[in-house]
């Protein structure tokens, strides 16, 4: 009974990559395996359509993320796995929540400003609304814990504000959700700048990449001559060292740091070493995925049952909120 609820989601604007895996999915897995928590994990399809996207095949892309989830170890026996748009209560709840948040507050969010910069021709209402829908995703389950990457912190702040205001104004008891962080949460981009992102060309290693793919992608990570007075703290070399730290450990990074300041680092060898360990971690998931791809019925059933289970909880919350707001 008294289990604490957890909710998380990933958008469907591309296949899952190593950044999603280390930053979000690993946290999702560890909470799923902890009996103190009841876990709800969704594919945020409604959060994926506020940027230009291809409707043809979109449903399939959403399904692919479900497969990625299952292959990574999310287990329908332990977690409720569902597709956001199949639980329409989220949208209804988000509208109710939008009454307590100002437009100015939304416009000042760094994530909104980034999207405005990236798509100046497409600053639509849904983009502004994004964090309110996310608050509804979380609060529909009264989830207190959200395993997501650090970039989502501003959105969680909105979810807390929504909870506070709804509680103050309407006497509800919604929790103020906090982020559940994983140790490997900052996975750098292969472009040498910023973090790994599916929207940036050449930035990511996908969970479905072969060893050759991974080697090819790492080969493009820009480096330098391999030698110098101090190891760069940003750019390609710094990112490569971060990968070494994440996958080979602190000890190996320290060795490389020494080499950099003495005889020099041979990047080709380091990249190939990193590629091998990454692939070793991904291989069992890829095998599991191949099995799931053959079993369409099983996946369909997981998706249908997930939505049913999620709706049960979300509709209860929605009813409570409507009652508190005097709508019923
Ligand atoms: N905004 C999240 C991201 O881009 C995806 C998301 C949507 C989400 N709704 C959520 C994450 C609710 C956690 C909880 O990664």
């Amino acid at each position: 009974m008294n289990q604490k609820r957890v909710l998380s989601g990933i958008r469907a604007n591309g296949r899952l990559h190593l950044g999603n895996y280390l930053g979000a999915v690993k946290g999702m897995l560890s909470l799923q395996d902890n009996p103190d928590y009841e876990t709800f994990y969704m594919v945020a399809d409604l959060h994926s359509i506020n940027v230009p996207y291809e409707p043809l095949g979109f449903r399939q892309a959403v399904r692919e993320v479900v497969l990625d989830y299952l292959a990574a170890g999310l287990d329908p026996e332990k977690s409720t796995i569902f597709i956001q748009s199949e639980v329409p209560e989220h949208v209804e709840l988000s509208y109710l929540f939008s009454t307590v948040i100002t437009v100015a507050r939304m416009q000042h969010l760094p994530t909104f400003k980034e999207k405005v910069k990236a798509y100046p021709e497409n600053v639509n209402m849904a983009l502004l609304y994004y964090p309110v829908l996310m608050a509804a995703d979380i609060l529909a389950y009264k989830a207190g814990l959200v395993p997501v990457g650090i970039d989502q912190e501003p959105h969680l702040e909105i979810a807390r504000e929504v909870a506070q205001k709804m509680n103050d104004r309407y006497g509800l008891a919604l929790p103020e959700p906090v982020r559940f962080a994983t140790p490997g949460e900052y996975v750098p981009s292969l472009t040498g700048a910023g973090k790994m992102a599916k929207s940036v060309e050449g930035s990511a290693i996908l969970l479905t990449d072969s060893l050759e793919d991974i080697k090819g992608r790492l080969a493009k990570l820009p480096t330098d001559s391999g030698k110098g007075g101090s190891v760069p703290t940003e750019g390609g070399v710094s990112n490569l060292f971060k990968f070494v730290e994440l996958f080979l450990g602190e000890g190996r990074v320290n060795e490389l740091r020494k080499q950099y300041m003495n005889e020099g680092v041979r990047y080709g060898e380091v990249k190939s070493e990193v590629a091998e360990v990454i692939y070793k971690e991904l291989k069992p998931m890829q095998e599991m995925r191949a099995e799931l791809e053959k079993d369409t019925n099983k996946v369909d059933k997981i998706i249908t049952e997930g939505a049913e289970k999620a709706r049960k909880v979300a509709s209860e919350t929605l009813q409570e909120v409507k009652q508190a707001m005097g709508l019923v």
Side-chain angles (χ1 to χ4, degrees):
M1 285 267 59
N2 268 322
Q3 278 174 313
K4 283 172 257 172
R5 295 224 183 98
V6 172
L7 177 123
S8 189
I10 295 182
R11 284 178 302 135
N13 301 96
R15 303 295 304 282
L16 290 202
H17 57 68
L18 222 47
N20 300 129
Y21 179 63
L22 296 181
V25 179
K26 274 213 162 167
M28 291 156 84
L29 287 169
S30 76
L31 291 169
Q32 149 182 289
D33 292 328
N34 184 331
D36 292 341
Y37 296 99
E38 184 183 3
T39 45
F40 292 83
Y41 298 134
M42 61 168 201
V43 180
D45 58 346
L46 295 174
H47 275 117
S48 316
I49 58 173
N50 47 24
V51 293
Y53 78 105
E54 182 52 68
L56 198 73
F58 181 62
R59 176 70 192 189
Q60 184 56 31
V62 171
R63 202 188 153 87
E64 296 290 340
V65 180
V66 175
L67 283 178
D68 282 342
Y69 270 170
L70 296 170
L74 292 196
D75 179 351
E77 300 284 321
K78 298 179 186 161
S79 295
T80 301
I81 299 166
F82 67 101
I83 295 170
Q84 185 187 29
S85 65
E86 294 189 354
V87 185
E89 285 81 1
H90 292 212
V91 178
E92 193 171 345
L93 203 52
S94 72
Y95 180 77
L96 302 178
F97 289 168
S98 75
T99 61
V100 298
I101 288 283
T102 66
V103 173
R105 177 72 177 93
M106 296 289 103
Q107 283 171 326
H108 282 113
L109 279 178
T111 41
F112 178 71
K113 288 184 182 162
E114 277 160 28
K115 284 278 166 27
V116 171
K117 235 182 168 172
Y119 305 99
E121 307 293 308
N122 192 39
V123 184
N124 56 54
M125 282 294 293
L127 224 41
L128 193 64
Y129 206 81
Y130 189 114
V132 187
L133 179 57
M134 184 160 155
D137 296 336
I138 299 166
L139 298 175
Y141 304 89
K142 300 184 180 168
L145 207 52
V146 183
V148 276
I150 191 160
D151 58 308
Q152 295 298 311
E153 195 55 69
H155 293 154
L156 281 179
E157 220 167 281
I158 297 292
R160 289 191 284 271
E161 274 177 45
V162 166
Q164 251 172 40
K165 292 199 166 128
M166 293 299 294
N167 293 346
D168 280 357
R169 232 172 259 187
Y170 301 110
L172 287 157
L174 300 169
E176 290 181 28
V178 295
R179 195 170 68 85
F180 178 77
T182 53
E185 67 179 7
Y186 189 86
V187 181
S189 168
L190 295 181
T191 57
K195 67 159 201 159
M196 189 175 282
K198 43 193 150 198
S199 51
V200 180
E201 182 64 28
S203 166
I205 291 172
L206 301 182
L207 298 188
T208 44
D209 279 348
S210 68
L211 181 58
E212 285 315 303
D213 292 334
I214 300 171
K215 284 190 171 163
R217 292 186 196 273
L218 277 169
K220 295 202 186 103
L221 177 67
T223 47
D224 59 11
S225 66
K227 224 173 150 155
S230 65
V231 180
T233 52
E234 54 182 44
V237 174
S238 160
N239 284 6
L240 179 61
F241 279 33
K242 180 75 191 168
F243 275 107
V244 173
E245 187 189 320
L246 285 170
F247 290 95
L248 296 162
E250 191 92 37
R252 187 76 182 104
V253 186
N254 290 336
E255 272 170 35
L256 291 175
R257 284 181 192 288
K258 266 190 217 134
Q259 274 179 26
Y260 192 92
M261 288 178 285
N262 295 291
E263 74 273 24
V265 175
R266 282 205 288 266
Y267 290 121
E269 285 169 22
V270 178
K271 284 180 173 180
S272 149
E273 207 181 324
V274 172
E276 300 275 352
V277 281
I278 291 177
Y279 181 64
K280 213 170 128 199
E281 183 141 1
L282 299 187
K283 193 165 174 259
M285 294 185 223
Q286 296 179 359
E287 286 165 359
M288 167 92 166
R289 201 176 199 289
E291 287 302 308
L292 287 163
E293 275 167 10
K294 286 186 237 152
D295 207 341
T296 314
N297 287 342
K298 181 174 168 182
V299 177
D300 285 344
K301 191 160 169 266
I302 292 170
I303 294 174
T304 311
E305 290 180 358
E308 276 168 17
K309 272 163 72 187
R311 284 196 79 171
K312 232 180 234 159
V313 180
S315 60
E316 255 173 50
T317 308
L318 176 62
Q319 202 55 21
E320 266 176 49
V321 173
K322 283 172 85 170
Q323 232 152 34
M325 292 180 78
L327 289 160
V328 283

